Amino acid sequence: PPDACVVIEDAPAGVDAARAAGMRVIGVTATVGRERLAMADWTIPQIGALRVTVVADRRLDVDGRSA
């Protein structure tokens, strides 16, 4: 189901499409500013440092800090 999916996106249109489909979104702000990806559930500065941990009840802990 869509609510079990997570989309990683760096374009406002992609974030909007994923949200419209009922999916959660991690916005990557390397190419556009954080304000342009405001509809994302989380924002991270770059994809290379992304770490996602699934915790209880399908909740996610998203960490995008540089290592």
Side-chain angles (χ1 to χ4, degrees):
D3 65 343
C5 299
V6 177
V7 174
I8 300 170
E9 186 57 68
D10 68 347
V15 171
D16 291 344
R19 296 292 293 158
M23 299 175 192
R24 294 178 285 177
V25 184
I26 300 170
V28 181
T29 62
T31 58
V32 298
R34 176 176 279 166
E35 66 282 349
R36 301 235 6 243
L37 300 179
M39 291 298 294
D41 297 285
W42 305 273
T43 56
I44 59 172
Q46 60 184 7
I47 192 73
L50 177 63
R51 301 289 178 265
V52 176
T53 304
V54 178
V55 293
D57 299 324
R58 294 190 339 207
R59 287 181 294 130
L60 300 178
D61 180 23
V62 176
D63 182 5
R65 292 174 291 182
S66 298

